[in-house]
Amino acid sequence: MLDIYGYITSWAVYLIAGTLCYVLFYKATGAIRFKPLANVLRGVMIALIYTPWYVAADEDFMAPAVIVILLDMITIGGDAFIRGLVPLTLALVAAIVIALMAGLLRSFFTRPAKR
């Protein structure tokens, strides 16, 4: 069984690797000229990488929600994956709304003043 130090170490490695992947993705989406699309894609990537969820209903350990969904589909089967899909879907919707609202607010405040 995994002790607390192994758990914390594995999360630290995951967060560092996820951050490196996000930085590469951020640079790759910088080539997209339509910035609202680039920001939505970046928000989706953040939600997919960093949304955690409980490994099991009776456990205190957490793992990335995408991994929990995949392993629940493989091991348990049926519709057991829904318990990890709900927080991931909420995080994805929140990321998309925040990215679009940030773009709207940015365009609203950077408009030149009418004379």
Side-chain angles (χ1 to χ4, degrees):
M1 189 69 190
L2 189 67
D3 64 343
I4 190 68
Y5 298 112
Y7 177 70
I8 291 172
T9 303
S10 62
W11 263 109
V13 169
Y14 179 80
L15 291 175
I16 290 169
T19 302
L20 290 175
C21 288
Y22 179 73
V23 167
L24 292 174
F25 185 77
Y26 187 87
K27 291 184 184 240
T29 56
I32 299 174
R33 292 198 185 269
F34 189 60
K35 290 304 172 190
L37 176 63
N39 290 337
V40 166
L41 290 174
R42 291 169 181 164
V44 167
M45 185 69 160
I46 285 177
L48 286 174
I49 291 175
Y50 296 116
T51 302
W53 194 243
Y54 294 101
V55 174
D58 58 345
E59 292 278 335
D60 290 335
F61 291 127
M62 297 183 97
V66 173
I67 305 298
V68 172
I69 291 169
L70 291 174
L71 290 177
D72 279 354
M73 287 172 58
I74 292 170
T75 57
I76 301 172
D79 51 348
F81 69 94
I82 292 176
R83 69 180 186 91
L85 188 64
V86 170
L88 184 61
T89 304
L90 292 174
L92 287 170
V93 168
I96 291 170
V97 168
I98 289 170
L100 291 175
M101 292 302 292
L104 285 174
L105 289 174
R106 187 179 304 121
S107 67
F108 178 73
F109 287 119
T110 58
R111 287 187 182 161
K114 292 184 180 182
R115 293 182 178 200

